[in-house]
Amino acid sequence: MKYTIVDQSTCIACGACSIHAPSIFDYNDEGLAYNTLDDNTGNNPIPLQFENTAIDAEEACPSLSIKIADHPFEGNPLKFES
């Protein structure tokens, strides 16, 4: 299982994530991308049928704001950064 979250502190609202994975990413009232699966906490797994599109969105994100990991983020997009 994979999990995803958007680091909204670096999001530039370019639209790449919602183009590649509209079933997972949308924009909030501030115009920043977020994970719609769990209101951007990164705790709910990505449904298997959407994993490839989520990875496409991560790769297309110019600001590297889309994060994907094998474990829940627990609300922290930098949890697995070294």
Side-chain angles (χ1 to χ4, degrees), residues 5 7 9-10 67 73 75-82:
I5 194 169
D7 183 350
S9 71
T10 59
K67 310 294 183 184
F73 284 90
N76 180 1
L78 303 177
K79 181 175 182 179
F80 303 110
E81 303 285 314
S82 40

Side-chain angles (χ1 to χ4, degrees), residues 3-8 24-25 33-45 67 71-80:
Y3 299 82
T4 188
I5 194 169
V6 177
D7 183 350
Q8 293 181 324
I24 299 173
F25 300 105
Y34 76 102
N35 160 11
T36 61
L37 301 173
D38 56 20
D39 203 29
N40 208 51
T41 63
N43 292 327
N44 291 347
K67 310 294 183 184
H71 302 284
F73 284 90
E74 299 173 352
N76 180 1
L78 303 177
K79 181 175 182 179
F80 303 110

